[in-house]
Amino acid sequence: MGVLDGIRVLDYGRFIAAPWCSAVLADMGADVLRVEKRTGGEDRWVQSVTETGEGGTFLQCNRNKRSLTLDSTTPEGAEITRRLVAGADIVIANMPAAGMRASGLDYDTLRAVKPDIILASATAYGEGGPYSDRIGFDGAGQVMSGAVARQGLPEQPIRTVVPYADFGTALTLTIGVMMALYHRDRTGEGQHVEGALLPTALMLSNAFLIERDLLGIDKPRMTNQGGSVAPCDLYRTKDDGWVLLQIAGQPMFKRWCRLVGREDLFDDPRYADDDLRWQRSEELNGIMGQWCADKTKAEIMAALEAAKLPAAPMLTTQDVLEDPHVEAMGFLQRVPFPGTAKDVPLIETPFRMSATPGEIRTRAPLLGEHTDEVLAEIGYGRGEIEELRAREIV
């Protein structure tokens, strides 16, 4: 039995922030209904990996859900929306406020139908400021948080290909939804939970802003080197691999010095703390780079592990799929999907609970796969459903 069994969620989300939030709720037992237009949400078809065109991120973010297609702009569609909301606990969406109002998904409209409803919305910039009407994807949060200005090559800022602002917003939104459910259980009151890409990215880069504000400095872009400690970098190995090492604190630095045969650095005042060592990053990373140059990745990792130093090998995507720890831990669950060459490796619920663990019960739905089933649940007869289909309402 899932901890959220009996909780019903309407998911109007697209791409990542809202859909991954509702996917986590679905993993924990919630009944999540993805509502999308008759031609499918735009996110369904990005980065296609199946015969029917579904993308990899879609398969990840929409497992354990059912799919209803609906033209909600019609009077009949609006009535279906009203019935769905009347039986729901949570509505999740990521669209600007004007779009929410046009779709009847703004908080005032929703609570007029169901007073204790919880609305969870995700936007790019948050509501109430001069940028609130702008649209934006993950990269907007990254580049406006100050983080991208601090990363990349000296002459070229580089944003991160992994959409961390999107997935981070999904997780903060999930936390907010759970707090709202807890509040509702205690008071009977619903509420509006808001998440946004920019504050999520600001949360993740907050230390950079504090450093700038208090010390008046911005450290330069340093490729893969550490932003506050050294040695810290990706080092090339003899067999053309790469290994990451991150040294912080004096005990760890001394263990590293012993490993590379530089005990002479122990008491040198130029390396007395992390800030001073960071200022000499080029020198310390050069020492480590030379030490790695005539060793294989396996040899380097064995030596670093024996010295109890925080290191990791760089894995390719194929390496990850074959990694023995990833396999032993079951981090990737193989789930069949129509039209794929093999079962799809989906990341498990991103946390583990001893009593009520999350579970991937079903694959992501085909477009409109559960439309008839859902309409029947809210009171539509077979003839009515056929008419709605004929009139292209669903």
Side-chain angles (χ1 to χ4, degrees):
M1 179 177 179
V3 69
L4 294 181
D5 279 1
I7 297 296
R8 304 196 69 179
V9 180
L10 299 180
D11 178 9
Y12 293 87
R14 297 295 178 265
F15 296 102
I16 296 172
W20 184 240
C21 169
S22 59
V24 173
L25 301 178
D27 285 2
M28 304 310 295
D31 178 12
V32 178
L33 176 63
R34 175 180 165 93
V35 184
E36 54 190 315
K37 58 188 179 182
R38 295 179 63 255
T39 55
E42 300 89 333
D43 59 328
R44 180 180 280 271
W45 316 118
V46 176
Q47 188 193 352
S48 174
V49 295
T50 75
E51 290 181 356
T52 47
E54 287 84 2
T57 302
F58 174 83
L59 297 182
Q60 173 191 348
C61 291
N62 292 281
R63 80 280 195 96
N64 289 336
K65 301 179 186 179
R66 298 189 290 169
S67 171
L68 166 76
T69 55
L70 179 66
D71 181 355
S72 59
T73 65
T74 63
E76 296 88 348
E79 171 59 19
I80 292 172
T81 299
R82 190 198 67 78
R83 293 196 199 185
L84 291 171
V85 170
D89 298 284
I90 302 163
V91 174
I92 298 178
N94 52 337
M95 60 183 77
M100 299 281 281
R101 289 190 294 271
S103 301
L105 298 177
D106 59 285
Y107 183 51
D108 288 341
T109 299
L110 292 174
R111 66 178 176 177
V113 177
K114 194 169 191 291
D116 66 347
I117 197 75
I118 294 168
L119 170 64
S121 63
T123 60
Y125 302 102
E127 297 300 331
Y131 307 152
S132 295
D133 290 334
R134 296 182 185 178
I135 60 173
F137 287 142
D138 170 88
Q142 289 194 35
V143 300
M144 291 189 66
S145 70
V148 175
R150 287 281 305 272
Q151 66 195 31
L153 305 172
E155 71 283 1
Q156 174 68 60
I158 299 176
R159 72 176 179 88
T160 303
V161 66
V162 173
Y164 67 79
D166 252 329
F167 277 103
T169 300
L171 296 178
T172 56
L173 195 63
T174 303
I175 294 169
V177 167
M178 296 312 300
M179 295 300 102
L181 279 174
Y182 183 67
H183 173 77
R184 193 185 70 171
D185 285 347
R186 298 177 68 184
T187 67
E189 299 174 351
Q191 61 181 299
H192 183 187
V193 180
E194 296 183 75
L197 303 178
L198 181 54
T200 296
L202 292 173
M203 170 189 70
L204 296 169
S205 62
N206 196 186
F208 296 162
L209 306 178
I210 293 171
E211 187 176 58
R212 173 66 194 184
D213 197 52
L214 299 186
L215 302 182
I217 62 171
D218 273 315
K219 291 176 179 175
R221 290 188 288 272
M222 299 179 65
T223 63
N224 291 309
Q225 298 181 51
S228 58
V229 297
C232 176
D233 205 344
L234 276 169
Y235 305 97
R236 186 184 290 275
T237 69
K238 178 182 177 181
D239 51 353
D240 290 326
W242 295 86
V243 169
L244 171 71
L245 174 69
Q246 297 171 289
I247 298 297
Q250 197 67 3
M252 198 178 294
F253 177 65
K254 287 188 174 183
R255 294 200 301 276
W256 175 77
C257 289
R258 293 189 189 99
L259 177 69
V260 299
R262 292 301 305 269
E263 289 89 342
D264 60 297
L265 302 181
F266 276 6
D267 300 317
D268 190 321
R270 295 175 298 173
Y271 311 97
D273 59 35
D274 286 326
D275 285 340
L276 290 169
R277 289 192 287 272
W278 178 81
Q279 293 172 23
R280 305 185 76 86
S281 291
E282 186 173 348
E283 176 187 343
L284 294 173
N285 285 321
I287 293 171
M288 187 61 186
Q290 287 183 336
W291 185 84
C292 291
D294 63 351
K295 300 174 182 65
T296 67
K297 183 165 67 174
E299 290 169 342
I300 294 168
M301 284 304 305
L304 293 173
E305 289 175 18
K308 297 189 181 303
L309 296 175
M314 188 187 78
L315 302 182
T316 66
T317 51
Q318 188 61 43
D319 291 337
V320 175
L321 292 170
E322 298 172 355
D323 186 78
H325 184 80
V326 172
E327 181 177 357
M329 293 297 293
F331 290 148
L332 296 174
Q333 300 290 315
R334 292 281 179 177
V335 178
F337 190 91
T340 57
K342 59 177 72 173
D343 290 350
V344 181
L346 298 180
I347 182 66
E348 67 167 358
T349 308
F351 53 86
R352 290 185 172 182
M353 300 177 69
S354 60
T356 56
E359 180 184 4
I360 301 177
R361 300 178 303 280
T362 61
R363 58 167 172 76
L366 299 174
L367 180 60
E369 184 173 353
H370 305 94
T371 296
D372 289 7
E373 175 182 299
V374 171
L375 292 177
E377 290 174 359
I378 58 175
Y380 288 88
R382 182 179 299 276
E384 292 175 298
I385 295 173
E386 290 176 354
E387 183 177 350
L388 288 169
R389 283 194 177 279
R391 297 177 58 195
E392 298 187 343
I393 307 299
V394 299

